[in-house]
Protein backbone atom coordinates (compact mmCIF):
# COMPACT_ATOMS: atom_id res chain seq x y z
CA UNK A 1 0.00 0.00 0.00
CA UNK A 2 1.23 3.44 -0.93
CA UNK A 3 0.40 6.43 1.27
CA UNK A 4 -0.16 9.82 -0.33
CA UNK A 5 0.10 12.91 1.87
CA UNK A 6 -1.52 15.84 0.08
CA UNK A 7 -1.62 19.61 0.44
CA UNK A 8 0.89 19.93 3.28
CA UNK A 9 3.19 22.92 3.78
CA UNK A 10 6.64 21.34 3.48
CA UNK A 11 9.84 22.75 4.95
CA UNK A 12 13.20 21.19 4.12
CA UNK A 13 15.57 23.75 2.63
CA UNK A 14 18.40 21.21 2.28
CA UNK A 15 16.28 19.48 -0.32
CA UNK A 16 14.99 22.72 -1.85
CA UNK A 17 11.51 22.39 -0.36
CA UNK A 18 9.63 25.39 0.92
CA UNK A 19 6.00 25.37 -0.14
CA UNK A 20 3.02 23.14 -0.78
CA UNK A 21 3.90 19.62 -1.90
CA UNK A 22 2.44 16.15 -2.05
CA UNK A 23 4.52 13.28 -0.67
CA UNK A 24 4.10 9.67 -1.79
CA UNK A 25 5.38 6.92 0.50
CA UNK A 26 5.96 3.37 -0.71
CA UNK A 27 7.28 0.76 1.69
CA UNK A 28 9.82 2.45 3.98
CA UNK A 29 10.92 5.04 1.41
CA UNK A 30 9.72 8.33 -0.01
CA UNK A 31 8.68 7.50 -3.56
CA UNK A 32 8.07 11.07 -4.75
CA UNK A 33 7.85 14.68 -3.58
CA UNK A 34 6.00 16.80 -6.12
CA UNK A 35 3.70 19.80 -6.26
CA UNK A 36 0.85 17.59 -7.46
CA UNK A 37 0.60 13.80 -7.31
CA UNK A 38 -2.59 12.23 -8.65
CA UNK A 39 -4.34 9.74 -6.42
CA UNK A 40 -4.24 6.34 -8.05
CA UNK A 41 -5.94 4.34 -5.35
CA UNK A 42 -3.47 5.28 -2.64
CA UNK A 43 -4.26 5.71 1.03
CA UNK A 44 -4.62 9.48 1.31
CA UNK A 45 -3.88 11.81 4.21
CA UNK A 46 -5.09 15.36 3.69
CA UNK A 47 -2.53 17.66 5.32
CA UNK A 48 -4.21 20.93 4.36
CA UNK A 49 -3.15 23.62 6.83
CA UNK A 50 -0.51 21.34 8.36
CA UNK A 51 3.30 21.49 8.42
CA UNK A 52 5.39 18.57 7.11
CA UNK A 53 9.06 18.20 8.08
CA UNK A 54 11.47 15.31 8.63
CA UNK A 55 10.81 13.61 11.98
CA UNK A 56 13.32 14.84 14.54
CA UNK A 57 16.39 13.16 16.07
CA UNK A 58 17.00 13.51 19.81
CA UNK A 59 20.63 12.80 20.63
CA UNK A 60 20.23 12.95 24.41
CA UNK A 61 17.61 10.55 25.78
CA UNK A 62 17.56 8.42 28.90
CA UNK A 63 15.58 5.23 28.26
CA UNK A 64 16.52 3.79 31.69
CA UNK A 65 16.45 0.16 30.53
CA UNK A 66 18.03 -2.10 31.69
CA UNK A 67 17.87 -1.63 35.43
CA UNK A 68 15.42 1.23 35.97
CA UNK A 69 12.32 -0.04 34.23
CA UNK A 70 10.11 1.55 36.89
CA UNK A 71 11.19 4.95 35.48
CA UNK A 72 11.07 4.13 31.75
CA UNK A 73 11.53 1.28 29.30
CA UNK A 74 12.73 1.21 25.73
CA UNK A 75 9.11 0.65 24.72
CA UNK A 76 7.58 3.54 26.68
CA UNK A 77 10.44 5.92 25.95
CA UNK A 78 10.19 5.28 22.23
CA UNK A 79 6.42 5.71 22.32
CA UNK A 80 6.97 9.08 23.98
CA UNK A 81 9.46 9.94 21.24
CA UNK A 82 6.97 8.99 18.52
CA UNK A 83 4.29 11.13 20.16
CA UNK A 84 6.72 14.04 20.28
CA UNK A 85 7.59 13.84 16.57
CA UNK A 86 10.90 11.98 16.77
CA UNK A 87 11.98 9.14 14.51
CA UNK A 88 15.21 8.36 16.37
CA UNK A 89 16.80 8.80 19.78
CA UNK A 90 20.32 8.28 21.11
CA UNK A 91 20.19 6.32 24.37
CA UNK A 92 22.53 7.46 27.11
CA UNK A 93 24.51 4.71 28.87
CA UNK A 94 23.62 5.36 32.53
CA UNK A 95 21.52 2.23 32.90
CA UNK A 96 22.09 -0.63 35.36
CA UNK A 97 24.35 -2.22 34.39
CA UNK A 98 26.08 0.67 32.63
CA UNK A 99 26.46 0.37 28.85
CA UNK A 100 30.23 -0.11 29.13
CA UNK A 101 30.33 -3.54 27.47
CA UNK A 102 28.93 -5.27 24.38
CA UNK A 103 26.34 -7.31 26.30
CA UNK A 104 24.44 -4.24 27.51
CA UNK A 105 24.66 -2.57 24.09
CA UNK A 106 23.40 -5.71 22.34
CA UNK A 107 20.56 -5.96 24.88
CA UNK A 108 19.51 -2.40 24.05
CA UNK A 109 19.69 -3.09 20.32
CA UNK A 110 17.57 -6.22 20.73
CA UNK A 111 14.92 -4.42 22.80
CA UNK A 112 14.88 -1.63 20.22
CA UNK A 113 14.00 -3.89 17.31
CA UNK A 114 10.30 -3.73 18.19
CA UNK A 115 10.28 -0.11 19.35
CA UNK A 116 8.25 2.70 17.79
CA UNK A 117 11.37 4.68 16.80
CA UNK A 118 14.99 3.84 16.10
CA UNK A 119 17.40 3.74 19.03
CA UNK A 120 21.12 4.45 18.70
CA UNK A 121 23.27 3.38 21.66
CA UNK A 122 25.84 5.61 23.35
CA UNK A 123 28.66 3.75 25.11
CA UNK A 124 30.15 4.66 28.48
CA UNK A 125 33.55 6.38 28.46
CA UNK A 126 34.66 4.60 31.63
CA UNK A 127 33.79 1.36 33.34
CA UNK A 128 30.62 1.74 35.38
CA UNK A 129 30.83 5.45 34.50
CA UNK A 130 33.00 5.98 37.57
CA UNK A 131 35.66 7.96 35.71
CA UNK A 132 38.45 5.67 36.86
CA UNK A 133 39.13 2.99 34.22
CA UNK A 134 38.46 3.30 30.51
CA UNK A 135 35.82 1.10 28.94
CA UNK A 136 36.86 -1.23 26.11
CA UNK A 137 36.31 1.53 23.60
CA UNK A 138 37.36 -0.48 20.55
CA UNK A 139 34.96 -3.28 21.46
CA UNK A 140 32.14 -0.79 22.02
CA UNK A 141 32.86 0.76 18.63
CA UNK A 142 32.58 -2.65 16.96
CA UNK A 143 29.27 -3.21 18.75
CA UNK A 144 27.88 -0.12 17.07
CA UNK A 145 27.80 2.68 19.63
CA UNK A 146 27.49 6.10 18.00
CA UNK A 147 29.37 8.10 20.63
CA UNK A 148 30.93 7.86 24.09
CA UNK A 149 29.63 9.53 27.24
CA UNK A 150 29.52 9.14 31.01
CA UNK A 151 26.51 11.44 30.98
CA UNK A 152 25.25 12.20 34.44
CA UNK A 153 28.78 11.59 35.72
CA UNK A 154 31.59 13.96 34.78
CA UNK A 155 35.00 12.43 34.02
CA UNK A 156 36.85 14.34 36.70
CA UNK A 157 40.30 12.89 35.98
CA UNK A 158 41.86 14.86 33.12
CA UNK A 159 44.33 12.09 32.26
CA UNK A 160 41.48 9.60 31.90
CA UNK A 161 39.59 12.01 29.67
CA UNK A 162 42.67 12.63 27.55
CA UNK A 163 43.18 8.90 26.95
CA UNK A 164 39.48 8.42 26.26
CA UNK A 165 39.64 11.09 23.59
CA UNK A 166 42.69 9.49 22.01
CA UNK A 167 41.00 6.10 21.84
CA UNK A 168 37.75 7.64 20.59
CA UNK A 169 39.70 9.42 17.86
CA UNK A 170 41.09 6.09 16.65
CA UNK A 171 37.54 4.80 16.16
CA UNK A 172 36.07 8.07 14.86
CA UNK A 173 33.64 8.40 17.77
CA UNK A 174 32.55 11.73 19.21
CA UNK A 175 32.85 12.25 22.96
CA UNK A 176 29.75 13.70 24.62
CA UNK A 177 30.61 15.17 28.00
CA UNK A 178 28.55 16.16 31.00
CA UNK A 179 30.64 19.13 32.12
CA UNK A 180 30.63 19.53 35.89
CA UNK A 181 33.35 20.03 38.45
CA UNK A 182 31.96 18.04 41.35
CA UNK A 183 34.35 19.76 43.77
CA UNK A 184 32.38 22.93 43.11
CA UNK A 185 28.89 21.53 42.65
CA UNK A 186 29.04 19.03 45.56
CA UNK A 187 25.51 18.64 46.95
CA UNK A 188 24.02 21.69 45.24
CA UNK A 189 20.43 21.42 44.04
CA UNK A 190 19.87 24.59 41.99
CA UNK A 191 21.80 27.43 40.34
CA UNK A 192 23.94 29.44 42.77
CA UNK A 193 22.83 33.05 42.81
CA UNK A 194 20.24 35.45 44.16
CA UNK A 195 17.38 32.96 44.07
CA UNK A 196 19.25 30.12 45.76
CA UNK A 197 20.00 32.53 48.61
CA UNK A 198 16.38 33.68 48.87
CA UNK A 199 15.02 30.11 48.66
CA UNK A 200 17.57 28.76 51.15
CA UNK A 201 18.83 26.03 48.80
CA UNK A 202 22.42 24.92 48.18
CA UNK A 203 23.64 26.35 44.88
CA UNK A 204 25.65 25.00 41.96
CA UNK A 205 27.81 27.79 40.53
CA UNK A 206 28.05 28.43 36.80
CA UNK A 207 31.81 27.96 37.19
CA UNK A 208 31.26 24.26 37.96
CA UNK A 209 30.18 23.81 34.34
CA UNK A 210 32.48 26.36 32.75
CA UNK A 211 35.71 25.02 34.24
CA UNK A 212 35.06 21.57 32.78
CA UNK A 213 33.98 23.01 29.42
CA UNK A 214 37.31 24.86 29.29
CA UNK A 215 39.26 21.72 30.24
CA UNK A 216 37.52 19.57 27.66
CA UNK A 217 38.08 22.14 24.94
CA UNK A 218 41.81 22.16 25.73
CA UNK A 219 41.92 18.34 25.62
CA UNK A 220 39.88 18.23 22.40
CA UNK A 221 42.28 20.72 20.81
CA UNK A 222 45.17 18.57 21.98
CA UNK A 223 43.77 15.27 20.70
CA UNK A 224 41.85 16.44 17.64
CA UNK A 225 38.70 14.65 18.79
CA UNK A 226 35.14 15.77 18.06
CA UNK A 227 33.91 17.01 21.43
CA UNK A 228 30.19 17.53 21.99
CA UNK A 229 29.15 19.45 25.10
CA UNK A 230 25.92 18.08 26.56
CA UNK A 231 23.17 20.41 27.88
CA UNK A 232 25.23 23.62 27.87
CA UNK A 233 23.54 26.08 30.22
CA UNK A 234 25.63 29.19 30.96
CA UNK A 235 26.82 32.32 29.20
CA UNK A 236 30.41 31.52 30.17
CA UNK A 237 30.24 28.06 28.60
CA UNK A 238 28.71 29.54 25.47
CA UNK A 239 31.53 32.06 25.14
CA UNK A 240 34.18 29.37 25.67
CA UNK A 241 32.72 27.22 22.89
CA UNK A 242 32.38 30.16 20.49
CA UNK A 243 36.01 31.14 21.08
CA UNK A 244 37.14 27.53 20.57
CA UNK A 245 35.24 27.24 17.32
CA UNK A 246 36.79 30.49 16.10
CA UNK A 247 40.25 28.97 16.42
CA UNK A 248 39.26 25.71 14.74
CA UNK A 249 38.55 23.30 17.62
CA UNK A 250 36.16 20.51 16.61
CA UNK A 251 33.54 21.20 19.27
CA UNK A 252 29.74 21.26 19.13
CA UNK A 253 27.15 21.73 21.85
CA UNK A 254 23.50 21.20 22.62
CA UNK A 255 20.92 23.22 24.54
CA UNK A 256 17.67 21.90 26.01
CA UNK A 257 14.25 23.55 25.61
CA UNK A 258 13.96 23.95 29.38
CA UNK A 259 17.19 25.95 29.59
CA UNK A 260 15.90 28.21 26.82
CA UNK A 261 12.56 28.78 28.53
CA UNK A 262 13.00 28.64 32.30
CA UNK A 263 15.25 30.30 34.88
CA UNK A 264 16.19 29.59 38.48
CA UNK A 265 13.23 31.75 39.56
CA UNK A 266 10.99 28.82 38.51
CA UNK A 267 12.19 26.97 41.64
CA UNK A 268 10.40 29.48 43.92
CA UNK A 269 7.53 27.09 44.73
CA UNK A 270 9.99 24.25 45.37
CA UNK A 271 8.41 22.18 42.60
CA UNK A 272 10.72 19.13 42.23
CA UNK A 273 9.93 19.07 38.51
CA UNK A 274 12.08 22.20 38.16
CA UNK A 275 15.10 20.34 39.56
CA UNK A 276 17.40 19.49 36.67
CA UNK A 277 21.07 18.81 36.06
CA UNK A 278 22.61 21.20 35.09
CA UNK A 279 20.21 23.45 36.98
CA UNK A 280 17.98 26.12 35.53
CA UNK A 281 20.24 29.14 35.30
CA UNK A 282 19.95 32.91 35.68
CA UNK A 283 17.84 35.22 33.55
CA UNK A 284 21.04 36.48 31.88
CA UNK A 285 22.19 32.96 31.03
CA UNK A 286 18.80 32.17 29.49
CA UNK A 287 18.81 35.44 27.57
CA UNK A 288 22.24 34.74 26.09
CA UNK A 289 21.20 31.21 25.06
CA UNK A 290 18.13 32.62 23.32
CA UNK A 291 20.34 35.19 21.58
CA UNK A 292 22.58 32.33 20.41
CA UNK A 293 19.49 30.50 19.17
CA UNK A 294 18.38 33.55 17.23
CA UNK A 295 21.88 34.05 15.77
CA UNK A 296 22.10 30.45 14.56
CA UNK A 297 24.99 29.66 16.92
CA UNK A 298 23.46 26.64 18.68
CA UNK A 299 24.49 23.36 17.05
CA UNK A 300 21.91 20.99 18.49
CA UNK A 301 18.67 21.03 20.43
CA UNK A 302 18.12 18.01 22.67
CA UNK A 303 15.64 17.11 25.40
CA UNK A 304 17.89 15.39 27.97
CA UNK A 305 14.72 13.34 28.53
CA UNK A 306 15.13 12.11 32.12
CA UNK A 307 11.99 10.31 33.33
CA UNK A 308 11.46 9.46 37.00
CA UNK A 309 8.83 7.80 39.12
CA UNK A 310 6.39 9.82 41.21
CA UNK A 311 8.30 8.71 44.31
CA UNK A 312 11.61 9.94 42.85
CA UNK A 313 10.20 13.45 42.75
CA UNK A 314 8.30 13.22 46.01
CA UNK A 315 9.27 15.04 49.17
CA UNK A 316 11.74 17.83 49.85
CA UNK A 317 13.39 19.61 46.93
CA UNK A 318 16.84 18.77 48.31
CA UNK A 319 16.23 15.04 48.00
CA UNK A 320 14.20 14.86 44.79
CA UNK A 321 15.80 13.37 41.68
CA UNK A 322 17.19 15.62 38.94
CA UNK A 323 15.48 15.55 35.56
CA UNK A 324 12.66 16.50 33.21
CA UNK A 325 10.56 14.24 31.00
CA UNK A 326 10.86 16.20 27.76
CA UNK A 327 10.19 14.17 24.60
CA UNK A 328 6.47 14.90 24.37
CA UNK A 329 6.63 18.66 24.89
CA UNK A 330 9.86 19.73 23.14
CA UNK A 331 8.52 20.39 19.63
CA UNK A 332 5.41 22.23 20.79
CA UNK A 333 7.40 24.37 23.22
CA UNK A 334 9.88 25.32 20.51
CA UNK A 335 7.11 26.12 18.04
CA UNK A 336 4.99 28.09 20.50
CA UNK A 337 7.84 30.16 21.93
CA UNK A 338 10.30 30.54 19.07
CA UNK A 339 8.95 29.60 15.63
CA UNK A 340 5.56 31.25 16.07
CA UNK A 341 7.35 34.31 17.46
CA UNK A 342 9.71 34.47 14.42
CA UNK A 343 12.83 33.95 16.52
CA UNK A 344 13.76 30.89 14.42
CA UNK A 345 12.09 29.26 11.41
CA UNK A 346 11.33 25.65 10.59
CA UNK A 347 14.54 25.17 8.62
CA UNK A 348 16.63 26.40 11.54
CA UNK A 349 14.81 23.94 13.76
CA UNK A 350 15.64 21.15 11.32
CA UNK A 351 19.30 22.13 11.28
CA UNK A 352 19.51 21.83 15.07
CA UNK A 353 17.10 18.98 15.64
CA UNK A 354 17.59 16.76 12.60
CA UNK A 355 20.51 17.43 10.30
CA UNK A 356 23.20 18.27 12.86
CA UNK A 357 22.38 15.39 15.24
CA UNK A 358 22.40 13.05 12.25
CA UNK A 359 25.78 14.40 11.15
CA UNK A 360 27.34 14.11 14.63
CA UNK A 361 26.07 10.56 15.20
CA UNK A 362 26.68 9.56 11.57
CA UNK A 363 23.17 8.24 11.07
CA UNK A 364 20.87 8.53 8.09
CA UNK A 365 19.31 11.99 7.83
CA UNK A 366 18.60 12.69 4.18
CA UNK A 367 15.39 14.61 4.72
CA UNK A 368 12.41 14.68 2.41
CA UNK A 369 13.54 13.50 -1.00
CA UNK A 370 12.93 10.63 -3.35
CA UNK A 371 14.60 7.46 -2.14
CA UNK A 372 15.15 8.68 1.42
CA UNK A 373 13.77 6.78 4.37
CA UNK A 374 10.23 7.96 5.05
CA UNK A 375 10.75 9.55 8.48
CA UNK A 376 8.48 12.56 8.73
CA UNK A 377 5.95 14.31 10.92
CA UNK A 378 2.77 16.22 10.26
CA UNK A 379 2.38 19.16 12.63
CA UNK A 380 -0.83 21.04 13.33
CA UNK A 381 0.12 24.69 13.94
CA UNK A 382 -3.44 25.64 14.94
CA UNK A 383 -3.96 22.99 17.60
CA UNK A 384 -4.47 24.57 21.01
CA UNK A 385 -3.80 22.20 23.85
CA UNK A 386 -2.82 22.06 27.50
CA UNK A 387 0.11 19.95 28.67
CA UNK A 388 -1.43 17.07 30.60
CA UNK A 389 1.23 14.81 32.03
CA UNK A 390 -1.36 12.11 32.74
CA UNK A 391 -1.59 11.60 28.98
CA UNK A 392 2.16 11.17 28.51
CA UNK A 393 3.27 7.95 26.84
CA UNK A 394 6.42 8.16 28.94
CA UNK A 395 6.36 6.62 32.40
CA UNK A 396 7.99 9.85 33.57
CA UNK A 397 5.35 12.49 34.34
CA UNK A 398 7.94 14.92 35.71
CA UNK A 399 7.48 18.12 33.70
CA UNK A 400 7.54 21.75 34.87
CA UNK A 401 5.33 22.62 31.88
CA UNK A 402 2.23 20.78 33.16
CA UNK A 403 -0.85 22.94 32.74
CA UNK A 404 0.73 25.24 30.16
CA UNK A 405 -1.47 26.19 27.22
CA UNK A 406 0.38 25.77 23.93
CA UNK A 407 -0.39 26.36 20.28
CA UNK A 408 0.88 23.74 17.83
CA UNK A 409 1.17 19.97 18.26
CA UNK A 410 2.59 16.99 16.44
CA UNK A 411 -0.29 15.13 14.82
CA UNK A 412 1.25 12.22 12.91
CA UNK A 413 4.68 10.58 12.98
CA UNK A 414 5.98 8.27 10.27
CA UNK A 415 9.06 6.13 10.96
CA UNK A 416 10.41 4.09 8.07
CA UNK A 417 7.20 4.63 6.11
CA UNK A 418 4.98 3.39 8.93
CA UNK A 419 2.60 5.63 10.80
CA UNK A 420 3.57 5.08 14.44
CA UNK A 421 1.63 7.93 16.04
CA UNK A 422 -1.75 9.44 15.23
CA UNK A 423 -3.29 12.34 17.15
CA UNK A 424 -5.94 13.35 14.65
CA UNK A 425 -9.03 14.27 16.61
CA UNK A 426 -7.04 14.00 19.83
CA UNK A 427 -6.65 10.22 19.53
CA UNK A 428 -3.11 10.20 20.95
CA UNK A 429 -2.59 6.65 19.62
CA UNK A 430 0.56 4.61 19.16
CA UNK A 431 0.08 2.41 16.09
CA UNK A 432 3.19 0.29 15.62
Amino acid sequence: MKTLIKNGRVYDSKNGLDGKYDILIEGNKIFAVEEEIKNQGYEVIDAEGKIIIPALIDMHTHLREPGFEEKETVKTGCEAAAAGGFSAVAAMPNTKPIADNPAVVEHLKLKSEQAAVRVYPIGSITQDSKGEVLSEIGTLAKTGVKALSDDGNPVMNSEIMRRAMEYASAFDLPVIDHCEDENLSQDGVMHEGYHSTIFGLKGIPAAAEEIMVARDIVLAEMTGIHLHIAHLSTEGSLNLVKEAKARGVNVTFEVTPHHLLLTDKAVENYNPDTKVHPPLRSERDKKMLVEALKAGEIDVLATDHAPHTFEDKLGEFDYAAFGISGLETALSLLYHNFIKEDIIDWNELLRMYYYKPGEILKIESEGLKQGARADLLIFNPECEWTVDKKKFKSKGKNTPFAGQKLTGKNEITFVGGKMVYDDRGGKNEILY
Side-chain angles (χ1 to χ4, degrees):
M1 175 67 72
K2 294 181 180 179
T3 302
L4 177 60
I5 305 172
K6 292 191 67 68
N7 306 316
R9 182 68 165 81
V10 179
Y11 292 95
D12 185 1
S13 61
K14 275 215 169 184
N15 287 306
L17 301 175
D18 190 347
K20 265 198 169 185
Y21 291 90
D22 293 348
I23 299 176
L24 182 61
I25 298 171
E26 181 176 14
N28 65 349
K29 301 288 185 182
I30 294 174
F31 188 79
V33 183
E34 298 175 8
E35 291 184 0
E36 178 70 30
I37 300 175
K38 291 183 179 179
N39 181 12
Q40 300 181 32
Y42 310 136
E43 180 182 348
V44 176
I45 296 173
D46 185 4
E48 182 70 41
K50 311 295 172 59
I51 306 296
I52 303 175
I53 59 172
L56 307 179
I57 298 170
D58 191 76
M59 64 176 292
H60 194 149
T61 298
H62 299 271
L63 294 179
R64 303 301 192 197
E65 188 177 6
F68 302 105
E69 287 84 356
E70 72 279 7
K71 299 173 185 282
E72 192 78 286
T73 64
V74 172
K75 180 180 186 294
T76 58
C78 288
E79 288 178 355
F86 296 90
S87 62
V89 297
M92 285 295 168
N94 54 341
T95 50
K96 186 178 182 180
I98 297 284
D100 60 3
N101 64 84
V104 179
V105 176
E106 291 294 350
H107 173 80
L108 176 63
K109 289 163 67 176
L110 184 65
K111 296 287 289 188
S112 303
E113 287 179 0
Q114 303 301 318
V117 306
R118 285 184 300 284
V119 177
Y120 295 99
I122 306 296
S124 180
I125 296 172
T126 64
Q127 292 180 22
D128 209 28
S129 288
K130 290 182 176 179
E132 297 171 354
V133 180
L134 289 180
S135 299
E136 294 289 343
I137 291 173
T139 306
L140 288 173
K142 290 177 182 177
T143 311
V145 302
K146 295 298 180 180
L148 299 170
S149 180
D150 275 2
D151 186 61
N153 296 293
V155 181
M156 288 293 295
N157 188 309
S158 298
E159 172 68 8
I160 295 291
M161 181 56 97
R162 173 195 175 177
R163 299 306 176 194
M165 289 183 174
E166 290 171 341
Y167 275 103
S169 179
F171 296 97
D172 198 24
L173 289 173
V175 170
I176 303 173
D177 199 26
H178 171 106
C179 291
E180 176 190 359
D181 186 329
E182 291 181 321
N183 296 309
L184 286 173
S185 61
Q186 295 189 13
D187 55 350
V189 296
M190 69 170 291
H191 175 67
E192 181 180 290
Y194 172 80
H195 288 106
S196 65
T197 304
I198 296 299
F199 303 155
L201 295 171
K202 179 70 183 295
I204 300 173
E209 175 177 303
E210 294 158 3
I211 285 170
M212 294 298 271
V213 169
R215 183 206 69 172
D216 284 355
I217 285 171
V218 170
L219 291 176
E221 194 166 17
M222 174 185 181
T223 60
I225 188 66
H226 178 185
L227 170 67
H228 182 77
I229 307 295
H231 42 51
L232 182 144
S233 68
T234 77
E235 178 188 9
S237 295
L238 178 65
N239 289 334
L240 285 164
V241 173
K242 286 163 66 173
E243 290 163 6
K245 285 185 174 189
R247 64 176 188 268
V249 181
N250 188 8
V251 56
T252 53
F253 71 101
E254 70 192 40
V255 176
T256 71
H258 50 270
H259 284 112
L260 289 167
L261 293 170
L262 301 173
T263 70
D264 53 345
K265 189 177 186 298
V267 178
E268 64 185 339
N269 293 321
Y270 303 95
N271 178 359
D273 288 342
T274 62
K275 186 178 179 181
V276 287
H277 207 190
L280 300 174
R281 298 294 188 181
S282 71
E283 179 65 37
R284 179 172 176 83
D285 288 316
K286 188 194 81 154
K287 179 182 177 183
M288 297 311 294
L289 290 179
V290 172
E291 286 297 318
L293 179 77
K294 189 174 183 178
E297 294 170 342
I298 293 176
D299 295 301
V300 170
L301 294 170
T303 62
D304 190 10
H305 176 74
H308 289 289
T309 65
F310 175 76
E311 291 77 14
D312 291 331
K313 286 287 191 175
L314 191 63
E316 295 179 37
F317 192 92
D318 282 332
Y319 303 110
F322 289 95
I324 284 174
S325 181
L327 286 169
E328 292 166 82
T329 55
L331 179 55
S332 290
L333 288 168
L334 292 166
Y335 174 77
H336 182 89
N337 292 283
F338 301 117
I339 296 178
K340 192 161 68 75
E341 299 301 318
D342 294 323
I343 293 172
I344 60 171
D345 61 23
W346 282 105
N347 287 308
E348 269 295 289
L349 178 81
L350 287 178
R351 178 186 65 79
M352 294 180 283
Y353 230 153
Y354 176 73
Y355 282 110
K356 195 64 177 182
E359 175 190 322
I360 292 170
L361 299 174
K362 300 179 182 66
I363 61 178
E364 186 176 341
S365 50
E366 295 183 278
L368 303 178
K369 69 176 184 180
Q370 185 178 19
R373 186 159 49 196
D375 297 338
L376 57 92
L377 66 87
I378 301 175
F379 185 86
N380 184 349
E382 302 300 324
C383 177
E384 296 182 350
W385 65 292
T386 301
V387 178
D388 182 355
K389 59 186 179 182
K390 294 179 182 177
K391 295 181 179 179
F392 278 10
K393 301 299 181 185
S394 171
K395 285 188 174 184
K397 315 301 181 186
N398 45 302
T399 174
F401 301 106
Q404 280 205 17
K405 297 182 184 301
L406 299 174
T407 300
K409 193 175 190 299
N410 178 53
E411 193 166 88
I412 295 175
T413 307
F414 280 89
V415 178
K418 186 174 183 179
M419 186 191 298
V420 296
Y421 179 72
D422 184 0
D423 194 40
R424 288 173 293 182
K427 288 188 284 189
N428 194 29
E429 288 183 350
I430 297 293
L431 302 173
Y432 72 103

